[in-house]
Amino acid sequence: MNVLVGVAGGVAAYKAAELVRALQNRGVDVQVAMTRSAEEFIRPLTFAALTGHQVFTSLWKPSAEATSGEAGPFSIEHIAVAQQIDALVIAPATANTIARLAHGLADDFLTTLALATTAPILLAPAMNVNMWNHPATQANLRTLESRGVQIVPTGSGYLACGMTGGGRLADPEVIAEAVLQRLLKTKDLTNEHILITAGGTREPIDPVRFLGNRSSGKMGHALAEEAAARGAAVTLVTASTLAAPAGCTVVRVETARQMMHAVLDHLPATTIIIGAAAVADFRVAEVAGSKIRRNGPLTLELEPTEDIIARVVAGRSANTLVVAFAAETDSPEQNGRAKLLRKGADAIVINDVSLPGLGFDSDSNAGIFLTPTVSVPLPESSKRLMAARILDQTVALRTCSLEPVL
Ligand code: PMT
């Protein structure tokens, strides 16, 4: 395993040396890249001696390894390194480096590599408590988290600036363990074919109008991105117009009936199905062939749509896990449990969509992962992080290692 430790310019930069050792003790081959400011706190020579590799400090000074390597002196080093590494961990990640990453800036070796790599990225922030609490820093962290970057929680206590509070670099052993865990689960879904539904279906009323709902598709697309990043073969059946996540087979649908056909077509090859879509429960019984004119009151007759999850449960093989979602506004756990049992799914993710800023069309979500015997809280987070937690619980369900809480 090959991990690149990125060191940014903060007092805690010296602790990156301990992180390098902690990773090496776990059998990881470590390389280091430093920002210009980091060199003010610790010399590259320290890391070169610890790792046995030349340290990357500049886009413009190729390391000796690059100039003597197979790719020759003209290889684009940050791209070559970006493709070789299994993970990038930046510790300490300063407020400035976090801001540059959140905005996609690529003005030195480390930030350019962070943009160029598809390997998992972890950040271990360290800064003054006021910089840590600043809304800009917190917003930047949320942006990065929503793109799948893992934030190693900071500690709280006495800081080098003399103040006390949050923003202290996590213990190097804790950071190394987080990196290792991330590496271990990076490809934990390689043997799964996961089918995910996303978005809100639209049921036509006439050629210009439809019955719809407030689902954006963000939750389902986040699940697809996370599952693909963890090695699953992913089919995303989506009623959303969001861009196709990388590495997924995407089937675009509009109505509940189209979604049902797409899901049933792919069911034989599916090992896990996750129903994050908000599927219409009713469709207009007779869709008008031309635009309905406003000539007084209008009565529409609605008929129920097919229950896709129920059909999946009825038609699946014994090996296929079914995880449904439930968007609830009152007594979420009670209603979600009833829905889980009625649909016969293996688990259900309950969202309380009455909470402001969560659920429909937002970037954050929270909920409960519920099986007939286990209830696991999913704390408020970006949808990408919630997707990771849902997949963790689904893997635990597959391996029967879920801990009963209720
Ligand atoms: O898309 P976002 O803006 O990111 O919002 C995410 C979300 C809030 C839509 C999502 O997290 C969520 O909760 N999805 C389920 C919403 C819903 O409509 O739940 P439901 O209680 O109506 O349906 C329960 C389950 O049955 C769901 O898995 C649903 O996909 C499925 N269903 C529903 C109706 C139907 N005819 N067929 C189905 O398969």
Side-chain angles (χ1 to χ4, degrees):
M1 282 183 294
N2 187 342
V3 170
L4 191 126
V5 173
V7 186
V11 183
Y14 72 95
K15 290 194 184 166
E18 289 175 41
L19 173 61
V20 168
R21 273 283 180 251
L23 286 167
Q24 288 172 329
N25 290 342
R26 288 164 172 80
V28 174
D29 186 22
V30 183
Q31 289 173 283
V32 172
M34 301 174 72
T35 65
R36 180 70 201 86
S37 320
E39 288 185 69
E40 300 289 338
F41 290 93
I42 184 166
R43 308 293 299 156
L45 190 60
T46 305
F47 294 113
L50 283 173
T51 62
H53 295 293
Q54 188 147 346
V55 174
F56 305 108
T57 53
S58 166
L59 279 171
W60 313 113
K61 281 188 291 177
S63 71
E65 284 175 31
T67 50
S68 65
E70 271 180 26
F74 304 112
S75 68
I76 305 173
E77 196 170 29
H78 58 277
I79 301 292
V81 177
Q83 283 164 356
Q84 285 158 12
I85 58 174
D86 298 306
L88 165 64
V89 53
I90 304 182
T94 56
N96 181 51
T97 294
I98 289 168
R100 288 189 297 146
L101 293 172
H103 292 278
L105 298 184
D107 54 1
D108 64 6
F109 189 97
L110 181 57
T111 49
T112 309
L113 177 122
L115 266 192
T117 191
T118 55
I121 300 178
L122 295 91
L123 298 184
M127 66 198 72
N128 158 273
V129 59
N130 292 341
M131 294 168 81
W132 171 251
N133 288 333
H134 197 286
T137 303
Q138 292 301 319
N140 288 334
L141 286 167
R142 279 198 299 278
T143 299
L144 290 166
E145 210 179 50
S146 71
R147 294 181 194 145
V149 172
Q150 183 175 335
I151 314 296
V152 183
T154 58
S156 180
Y158 182 76
L159 301 166
C161 57
M163 295 173 78
T164 304
R168 200 155 102 159
L169 185 74
D171 187 276
E173 288 292 332
V174 172
I175 303 170
E177 202 44 44
V179 174
L180 205 76
Q181 289 307 320
R182 182 67 188 247
L183 284 171
L184 291 178
K185 85 170 186 190
T186 297
K187 297 294 172 197
D188 63 343
L189 299 173
T190 307
N191 295 325
E192 305 286 1
H193 190 141
I194 306 190
L195 194 157
I196 294 159
T197 67
T201 58
R202 293 176 168 195
E203 304 301 327
I205 297 172
D206 68 13
V208 297
R209 303 181 181 92
F210 59 84
L211 296 175
N213 62 64
R214 294 176 50 218
S215 169
S216 62
K218 288 179 186 174
M219 188 68 241
H221 281 237
L223 278 160
E225 278 166 13
E226 178 68 18
R230 285 162 67 166
V234 178
T235 301
L236 176 64
V237 178
T238 181
S240 162
T241 53
L242 289 176
C248 301
T249 302
V250 177
V251 184
R252 303 258 179 205
V253 297
E254 203 169 298
T255 64
R257 186 179 278 133
Q258 289 167 358
M259 184 170 274
M260 180 192 68
H261 286 308
V263 166
L264 294 182
D265 283 353
H266 288 87
L267 190 58
T270 298
T271 58
I272 297 174
I273 170 162
I274 306 181
V279 186
D281 287 317
F282 297 96
R283 69 166 72 87
V284 176
E286 267 188 53
V287 178
S290 55
K291 184 177 173 185
I292 299 172
R293 300 287 155 195
R294 191 153 66 104
N295 296 327
L298 174 70
T299 303
L300 292 174
E301 190 186 330
L302 304 181
E303 63 182 23
T305 56
E306 300 78 12
D307 187 327
I308 302 171
I309 291 289
R311 294 253 185 137
V312 164
V313 168
R316 66 167 159 176
S317 70
N319 189 38
T320 306
L321 279 180
V322 181
V323 179
F325 266 68
E328 300 294 341
T329 53
D330 50 299
S331 308
E333 187 151 0
Q334 199 183 335
N335 287 327
R337 180 177 293 281
K339 207 169 267 182
L340 168 71
L341 299 177
R342 194 167 63 243
K343 292 191 183 256
D346 299 295
I348 198 158
V349 178
I350 303 170
N351 296 149
D352 182 347
V353 288
S354 66
L355 299 173
L358 298 180
F360 285 114
D361 201 21
S362 68
D363 293 324
S364 304
N365 208 355
I368 302 169
F369 187 92
L370 189 81
T371 75
T373 53
V374 176
S375 171
V376 181
L378 301 168
E380 181 178 338
S381 70
S382 67
K383 284 187 173 167
R384 179 65 186 258
L385 187 52
M386 172 125 162
R389 289 179 172 140
I390 291 167
L391 290 170
D392 289 346
Q393 296 306 325
T394 307
V395 169
L397 192 60
R398 163 81 81 222
T399 55
C400 301
S401 55
L402 266 182
E403 291 291 325
V405 177
L406 277 184

